[in-house]
């Protein structure tokens, strides 16, 4: 094999490894959330609705991110109760803080903890 062929295959292999790392990082499931895995975000809730897969979607005022409680309806939460408790009120969200190809600012929409004032509404963070 000629020198250019070896260089081509070496570069191709390195690019393949980088591509696989990006795919694994992007589609790695969120399990066993630790306090270091989240970021604190404050905002006023403007909309709460049901999403696909029993998710609960939360929209914050002046925030373009897509926030959701994964399978929130299966975890005992209800849209109606959340609307009464947090709609048009200031809340603190703790979404996952991890870089993916879709979240270059490292803010994933997966909410791990939802608080209003000092009261915890939802929490899946372990060892807290």
């Amino acid at each position: 094999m000629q020198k250019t062929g070896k260089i081509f295959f070496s570069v191709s292999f390195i690019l393949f490894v980088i591509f696989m790392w990006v795919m694994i990082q992007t589609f790695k499931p969120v399990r066993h959330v630790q306090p270091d895995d989240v970021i604190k975000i404050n905002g006023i809730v403007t909309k709460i609705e049901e999403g696909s897969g029993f998710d609960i979607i939360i929209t914050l005022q002046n925030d373009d991110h897509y926030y959701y409680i994964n399978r929130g309806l299966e975890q005992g939460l209800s849209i109606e109760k959340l609307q009464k408790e947090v709609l048009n009120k200031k809340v603190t969200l703790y979404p996952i803080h991890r870089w993916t190809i879709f979240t270059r600012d490292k803010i994933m929409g997966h909410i791990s903890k939802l608080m209003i004032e000092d009261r915890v509404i939802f929490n899946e963070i372990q060892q807290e």
Side-chain angles (χ1 to χ4, degrees), residues 34-95:
Q34 302 298 317
D36 293 340
D37 297 333
V38 297
I39 187 170
K40 182 179 179 179
I41 295 177
N42 294 309
I44 297 173
V45 176
T46 58
K47 190 175 181 184
I48 299 174
E49 58 189 344
E50 182 176 349
S52 61
F54 304 104
D55 292 351
I56 297 174
I57 300 169
I58 297 177
T59 305
L60 295 182
Q61 185 178 25
N62 300 324
D63 192 337
D64 294 332
H65 291 92
Y66 176 85
Y67 299 109
Y68 66 95
I69 298 175
N70 192 40
R71 300 201 173 271
L73 297 174
E74 288 182 340
Q75 298 185 43
L77 299 172
S78 74
I79 302 291
E80 296 80 20
K81 184 178 175 186
L82 283 174
Q83 286 175 337
K84 289 178 186 174
E85 289 185 80
V86 301
L87 192 60
N88 298 317
K89 295 180 184 168
K90 187 174 180 179
V91 297
T92 303
L93 302 179
Y94 291 86

Coordinates of all heavy atoms in Angstrom, one line a residue, residues 34-95:
Q34 N -26.6 13.1 38.9 CA -25.9 13.6 40.1 C -26.0 15.1 40.1 O -26.2 15.7 39.1 CB -24.4 13.1 40.0 CG -24.2 11.6 39.9 CD -24.8 10.9 41.1 OE1 -24.6 11.3 42.2 NE2 -25.4 9.8 40.9
P35 N -25.7 15.7 41.3 CA -25.8 17.2 41.4 C -24.9 17.9 40.4 O -25.2 19.0 40.0 CB -25.4 17.4 42.8 CG -25.8 16.2 43.6 CD -25.6 15.1 42.6
D36 N -23.7 17.3 40.1 CA -22.8 17.9 39.1 C -23.3 17.9 37.7 O -22.7 18.5 36.8 CB -21.4 17.3 39.2 CG -20.8 17.5 40.6 OD1 -21.2 18.5 41.3 OD2 -19.8 16.8 41.0
D37 N -24.3 17.1 37.4 CA -24.8 16.9 36.0 C -25.8 18.0 35.6 O -26.2 17.9 34.5 CB -25.4 15.5 35.9 CG -24.5 14.4 36.1 OD1 -23.3 14.6 35.9 OD2 -24.9 13.3 36.5
V38 N -26.2 18.9 36.5 CA -27.3 19.8 36.2 C -26.8 21.2 36.3 O -25.7 21.5 36.8 CB -28.5 19.6 37.1 CG1 -29.1 18.2 36.9 CG2 -28.1 19.8 38.5
I39 N -27.6 22.1 35.7 CA -27.3 23.6 35.8 C -28.6 24.2 36.2 O -29.7 23.7 35.9 CB -26.9 24.1 34.4 CG1 -26.5 25.6 34.5 CG2 -28.0 23.9 33.3 CD1 -25.8 26.1 33.2
K40 N -28.5 25.3 37.0 CA -29.7 26.0 37.6 C -30.1 27.1 36.6 O -29.4 27.9 36.2 CB -29.3 26.6 38.9 CG -30.4 27.3 39.7 CD -29.8 27.8 41.0 CE -30.9 28.6 41.7 NZ -30.3 29.1 43.0
I41 N -31.5 27.1 36.3 CA -32.1 28.1 35.5 C -33.3 28.6 36.1 O -34.2 27.8 36.5 CB -32.4 27.5 34.1 CG1 -31.1 27.1 33.4 CG2 -33.2 28.5 33.2 CD1 -31.2 26.5 32.0
N42 N -33.5 29.9 36.2 CA -34.7 30.5 36.8 C -35.5 31.1 35.7 O -34.9 31.6 34.7 CB -34.3 31.6 37.8 CG -33.6 31.0 39.0 OD1 -34.1 30.1 39.6 ND2 -32.5 31.6 39.4
G43 N -36.8 31.1 35.8 CA -37.6 31.7 34.8 C -39.1 31.6 35.2 O -39.5 31.0 36.1
I44 N -39.9 32.3 34.4 CA -41.4 32.3 34.6 C -42.0 31.4 33.6 O -41.8 31.5 32.4 CB -41.9 33.8 34.5 CG1 -41.3 34.7 35.5 CG2 -43.5 33.8 34.5 CD1 -41.7 36.1 35.4
V45 N -42.8 30.5 34.1 CA -43.5 29.5 33.3 C -44.6 30.1 32.6 O -45.5 30.7 33.2 CB -44.0 28.3 34.2 CG1 -44.7 27.3 33.3 CG2 -42.8 27.6 34.9
T46 N -44.6 30.0 31.2 CA -45.6 30.6 30.4 C -46.6 29.5 29.8 O -47.7 29.8 29.4 CB -45.1 31.4 29.2 OG1 -44.2 30.6 28.5 CG2 -44.3 32.6 29.8
K47 N -46.1 28.2 29.8 CA -46.9 27.2 29.2 C -46.5 25.8 29.7 O -45.3 25.6 29.9 CB -46.7 27.2 27.7 CG -47.6 26.4 26.9 CD -47.3 26.7 25.4 CE -48.0 26.1 24.4 NZ -47.6 26.4 23.1
I48 N -47.5 25.0 30.0 CA -47.3 23.6 30.4 C -48.2 22.8 29.6 O -49.4 23.0 29.5 CB -47.6 23.4 31.9 CG1 -46.7 24.3 32.8 CG2 -47.4 21.9 32.3 CD1 -47.0 24.2 34.2
E49 N -47.6 21.7 28.9 CA -48.4 20.9 28.1 C -47.9 19.5 28.0 O -46.7 19.2 28.4 CB -48.5 21.5 26.6 CG -47.2 21.7 26.0 CD -47.3 22.4 24.7 OE1 -48.4 22.6 24.1 OE2 -46.2 22.9 24.2
E50 N -48.7 18.6 27.5 CA -48.3 17.2 27.4 C -47.5 17.0 26.1 O -47.9 17.5 25.1 CB -49.5 16.3 27.4 CG -49.2 14.8 27.3 CD -50.4 13.9 27.5 OE1 -51.5 14.4 27.8 OE2 -50.3 12.7 27.2
G51 N -46.4 16.3 26.2 CA -45.6 16.0 25.0 C -45.8 14.5 24.7 O -46.5 13.7 25.3
S52 N -45.0 14.0 23.7 CA -45.1 12.6 23.3 C -44.4 11.8 24.4 O -43.5 12.2 25.1 CB -44.4 12.4 22.0 OG -43.0 12.8 22.1
G53 N -44.8 10.5 24.5 CA -44.1 9.6 25.4 C -44.4 10.0 26.9 O -43.5 9.7 27.7
F54 N -45.5 10.5 27.2 CA -45.9 10.9 28.6 C -45.0 12.0 29.2 O -44.9 12.1 30.4 CB -45.9 9.7 29.5 CG -46.8 8.6 29.0 CD1 -46.3 7.4 28.4 CD2 -48.2 8.7 29.1 CE1 -47.1 6.4 28.0 CE2 -49.0 7.7 28.7 CZ -48.5 6.5 28.1
D55 N -44.3 12.8 28.3 CA -43.5 13.9 28.8 C -44.4 15.1 29.1 O -45.4 15.2 28.6 CB -42.5 14.3 27.7 CG -41.4 13.2 27.4 OD1 -41.4 12.2 28.2 OD2 -40.7 13.4 26.5
I56 N -43.8 15.9 30.0 CA -44.5 17.2 30.3 C -43.5 18.3 29.9 O -42.4 18.4 30.3 CB -44.7 17.3 31.9 CG1 -45.7 16.2 32.3 CG2 -45.3 18.7 32.2 CD1 -45.9 16.2 33.8
I57 N -44.0 19.1 29.0 CA -43.2 20.2 28.4 C -43.5 21.5 29.1 O -44.6 21.9 29.3 CB -43.6 20.4 26.9 CG1 -43.3 19.0 26.1 CG2 -42.8 21.5 26.3 CD1 -43.9 19.0 24.7
I58 N -42.4 22.2 29.5 CA -42.5 23.4 30.2 C -41.8 24.5 29.4 O -40.7 24.3 29.0 CB -41.9 23.3 31.6 CG1 -42.6 22.3 32.4 CG2 -41.8 24.7 32.3 CD1 -42.1 22.0 33.8
T59 N -42.5 25.6 29.2 CA -42.0 26.7 28.4 C -41.7 27.9 29.4 O -42.6 28.2 30.1 CB -42.9 27.2 27.3 OG1 -43.2 26.0 26.5 CG2 -42.3 28.3 26.4
L60 N -40.5 28.5 29.3 CA -40.2 29.6 30.1 C -40.3 30.9 29.3 O -39.9 30.9 28.1 CB -38.8 29.5 30.7 CG -38.6 28.3 31.7 CD1 -37.2 28.4 32.2 CD2 -39.6 28.4 32.9
Q61 N -40.6 32.0 30.0 CA -40.7 33.3 29.3 C -39.3 33.7 28.8 O -38.3 33.6 29.6 CB -41.2 34.3 30.3 CG -41.5 35.7 29.8 CD -42.1 36.6 30.8 OE1 -41.9 36.4 32.0 NE2 -42.8 37.6 30.4
N62 N -39.2 34.2 27.6 CA -37.9 34.7 27.0 C -36.8 33.6 27.0 O -35.7 34.0 27.2 CB -37.4 35.9 27.7 CG -38.5 37.1 27.6 OD1 -39.1 37.2 26.6 ND2 -38.6 37.8 28.7
D63 N -37.2 32.4 26.8 CA -36.2 31.3 26.8 C -36.6 30.4 25.6 O -37.7 29.8 25.6 CB -36.2 30.5 28.1 CG -35.0 29.6 28.2 OD1 -34.4 29.2 27.2 OD2 -34.7 29.2 29.3
D64 N -35.7 30.1 24.7 CA -35.9 29.3 23.5 C -35.7 27.8 23.7 O -35.9 27.1 22.8 CB -35.1 29.8 22.3 CG -35.5 31.2 21.9 OD1 -36.6 31.6 22.1 OD2 -34.6 31.9 21.4
H65 N -35.2 27.4 24.8 CA -34.9 26.0 25.1 C -36.2 25.2 25.2 O -37.2 25.7 25.6 CB -34.0 25.9 26.3 CG -32.6 26.4 26.1 ND1 -32.3 27.6 26.5 CD2 -31.5 25.8 25.6 CE1 -31.0 27.8 26.2 NE2 -30.5 26.7 25.7
Y66 N -36.1 24.0 24.9 CA -37.2 23.0 25.0 C -37.0 22.2 26.3 O -36.1 21.4 26.4 CB -37.2 22.1 23.8 CG -38.2 21.0 23.8 CD1 -39.5 21.2 23.3 CD2 -37.9 19.7 24.2 CE1 -40.4 20.2 23.3 CE2 -38.8 18.7 24.2 CZ -40.1 18.9 23.7 OH -41.0 17.9 23.7
Y67 N -37.7 22.5 27.3 CA -37.6 21.8 28.6 C -38.7 20.8 28.8 O -39.9 21.1 28.4 CB -37.7 22.8 29.8 CG -36.6 23.8 29.8 CD1 -36.8 25.2 29.5 CD2 -35.3 23.5 30.1 CE1 -35.8 26.1 29.4 CE2 -34.3 24.4 30.0 CZ -34.5 25.7 29.7 OH -33.6 26.7 29.7
Y68 N -38.4 19.6 29.3 CA -39.4 18.6 29.5 C -39.0 17.7 30.7 O -37.9 17.6 31.1 CB -39.5 17.7 28.3 CG -38.3 16.9 28.0 CD1 -38.2 15.6 28.4 CD2 -37.2 17.5 27.2 CE1 -37.0 14.8 28.1 CE2 -36.1 16.7 27.0 CZ -36.0 15.4 27.4 OH -34.9 14.7 27.1
I69 N -40.1 17.2 31.4 CA -39.9 16.2 32.4 C -40.1 14.9 31.7 O -41.3 14.6 31.3 CB -40.8 16.4 33.6 CG1 -40.6 17.8 34.2 CG2 -40.7 15.3 34.6 CD1 -41.5 18.2 35.3
N70 N -39.1 14.1 31.6 CA -39.2 12.8 30.9 C -40.2 11.9 31.6 O -40.0 11.6 32.8 CB -37.8 12.2 30.8 CG -37.8 11.0 29.8 OD1 -38.4 11.1 28.8 ND2 -37.1 10.0 30.2
R71 N -41.2 11.4 30.9 CA -42.2 10.5 31.4 C -42.8 11.0 32.7 O -43.1 10.3 33.6 CB -41.6 9.1 31.6 CG -41.1 8.5 30.3 CD -41.1 7.0 30.4 NE -40.7 6.4 29.1 CZ -41.6 6.1 28.2 NH1 -42.9 6.3 28.4 NH2 -41.3 5.5 27.1
G72 N -43.0 12.4 32.8 CA -43.5 13.0 34.0 C -44.9 12.5 34.3 O -45.3 12.4 35.5
L73 N -45.8 12.2 33.3 CA -47.1 11.7 33.6 C -47.1 10.3 34.2 O -48.0 10.0 35.0 CB -48.0 11.8 32.3 CG -48.2 13.2 31.7 CD1 -48.9 13.1 30.4 CD2 -48.9 14.0 32.7
E74 N -46.1 9.6 33.9 CA -46.0 8.2 34.5 C -45.4 8.3 35.9 O -45.5 7.3 36.6 CB -45.1 7.3 33.6 CG -45.7 6.9 32.3 CD -44.8 6.0 31.6 OE1 -43.6 6.0 31.8 OE2 -45.3 5.3 30.7
Q75 N -44.8 9.4 36.3 CA -44.2 9.6 37.6 C -45.1 10.2 38.6 O -44.6 10.7 39.6 CB -42.9 10.3 37.4 CG -41.9 9.6 36.6 CD -40.6 10.3 36.5 OE1 -40.1 10.8 37.5 NE2 -40.0 10.4 35.3
G76 N -46.4 10.3 38.3 CA -47.3 10.9 39.3 C -47.6 12.3 39.1 O -48.4 12.9 39.9
L77 N -47.0 13.0 38.2 CA -47.3 14.4 37.9 C -48.5 14.6 37.0 O -48.8 13.7 36.2 CB -46.1 15.1 37.3 CG -44.8 15.1 38.2 CD1 -43.7 15.7 37.3 CD2 -45.0 15.9 39.4
S78 N -49.2 15.7 37.1 CA -50.3 15.9 36.2 C -50.2 17.3 35.6 O -49.8 18.2 36.3 CB -51.7 15.7 36.9 OG -52.0 16.8 37.8
I79 N -50.7 17.5 34.4 CA -50.7 18.8 33.8 C -51.5 19.8 34.5 O -51.1 20.9 34.8 CB -51.2 18.6 32.3 CG1 -50.4 17.6 31.5 CG2 -51.2 20.0 31.6 CD1 -49.0 18.0 31.2
E80 N -52.7 19.4 34.9 CA -53.6 20.3 35.6 C -53.0 20.8 37.0 O -53.1 22.0 37.3 CB -55.0 19.6 35.9 CG -55.7 19.3 34.7 CD -55.2 18.0 34.0 OE1 -54.5 17.1 34.7 OE2 -55.5 17.8 32.8
K81 N -52.4 19.9 37.7 CA -51.8 20.2 39.0 C -50.6 21.2 38.8 O -50.5 22.2 39.5 CB -51.4 19.0 39.8 CG -50.9 19.3 41.1 CD -50.5 18.0 41.9 CE -49.8 18.3 43.2 NZ -49.3 17.2 43.9
L82 N -49.8 20.9 37.8 CA -48.7 21.8 37.6 C -49.1 23.1 37.1 O -48.5 24.1 37.5 CB -47.7 21.1 36.5 CG -46.8 20.0 37.0 CD1 -46.1 19.4 35.9 CD2 -45.9 20.5 38.1
Q83 N -50.2 23.2 36.3 CA -50.7 24.5 35.8 C -51.1 25.3 37.0 O -50.9 26.5 37.0 CB -51.8 24.3 34.8 CG -51.2 23.8 33.4 CD -52.3 23.5 32.5 OE1 -53.5 23.3 32.8 NE2 -52.0 23.6 31.2
K84 N -51.8 24.7 38.0 CA -52.2 25.5 39.1 C -51.1 25.9 40.0 O -51.1 27.0 40.6 CB -53.2 24.6 40.0 CG -54.5 24.3 39.3 CD -55.4 23.4 40.2 CE -56.7 23.1 39.5 NZ -57.5 22.1 40.2
E85 N -50.0 25.1 40.1 CA -48.9 25.4 41.0 C -47.9 26.3 40.4 O -47.4 27.2 41.1 CB -48.2 24.1 41.4 CG -49.0 23.2 42.4 CD -48.2 22.0 42.8 OE1 -47.4 22.2 43.8 OE2 -48.4 21.0 42.3
V86 N -47.6 26.2 39.1 CA -46.4 26.9 38.6 C -46.7 27.8 37.4 O -45.8 28.6 37.0 CB -45.2 25.9 38.3 CG1 -44.8 25.2 39.5 CG2 -45.6 25.0 37.1
L87 N -47.8 27.7 36.8 CA -48.1 28.6 35.6 C -48.1 30.0 36.0 O -48.7 30.5 37.0 CB -49.4 28.2 35.0 CG -49.7 28.7 33.6 CD1 -48.7 28.3 32.6 CD2 -51.1 28.4 33.2
N88 N -47.3 30.8 35.2 CA -47.1 32.3 35.4 C -46.4 32.6 36.7 O -46.6 33.7 37.3 CB -48.5 33.0 35.3 CG -49.1 32.9 34.0 OD1 -48.4 32.9 32.9 ND2 -50.4 32.6 34.0
K89 N -45.6 31.7 37.2 CA -44.9 31.9 38.5 C -43.4 31.6 38.2 O -43.0 30.9 37.3 CB -45.3 31.0 39.6 CG -46.8 31.3 40.0 CD -47.2 30.4 41.1 CE -48.7 30.7 41.4 NZ -49.2 29.7 42.3
K90 N -42.5 32.2 39.0 CA -41.1 32.0 38.9 C -40.7 30.7 39.4 O -41.0 30.4 40.6 CB -40.3 33.1 39.6 CG -38.8 33.1 39.3 CD -38.1 34.3 39.9 CE -36.6 34.1 39.6 NZ -35.9 35.3 40.1
V91 N -40.0 29.9 38.6 CA -39.6 28.6 39.1 C -38.1 28.4 38.9 O -37.4 29.2 38.2 CB -40.3 27.4 38.3 CG1 -41.8 27.4 38.5 CG2 -40.0 27.5 36.8
T92 N -37.5 27.4 39.5 CA -36.1 27.1 39.2 C -36.1 25.7 38.6 O -36.6 24.7 39.2 CB -35.3 27.1 40.6 OG1 -35.4 28.4 41.2 CG2 -33.9 26.8 40.3
L93 N -35.5 25.6 37.5 CA -35.3 24.3 36.8 C -33.8 23.9 36.9 O -32.9 24.7 36.9 CB -35.6 24.4 35.3 CG -37.0 24.9 34.9 CD1 -37.1 25.0 33.4 CD2 -38.1 24.0 35.5
Y94 N -33.6 22.6 36.9 CA -32.3 22.0 36.9 C -32.2 21.0 35.8 O -32.4 19.8 35.9 CB -32.0 21.3 38.2 CG -31.9 22.2 39.4 CD1 -33.0 22.7 40.1 CD2 -30.6 22.7 39.8 CE1 -32.9 23.5 41.2 CE2 -30.5 23.6 40.8 CZ -31.6 24.0 41.5 OH -31.5 24.9 42.6
P95 N -32.0 21.5 34.5 CA -31.8 20.6 33.4 C -30.4 20.0 33.3 O -29.5 20.6 34.0 CB -32.1 21.5 32.2 CG -31.7 22.9 32.6 CD -32.0 22.9 34.1

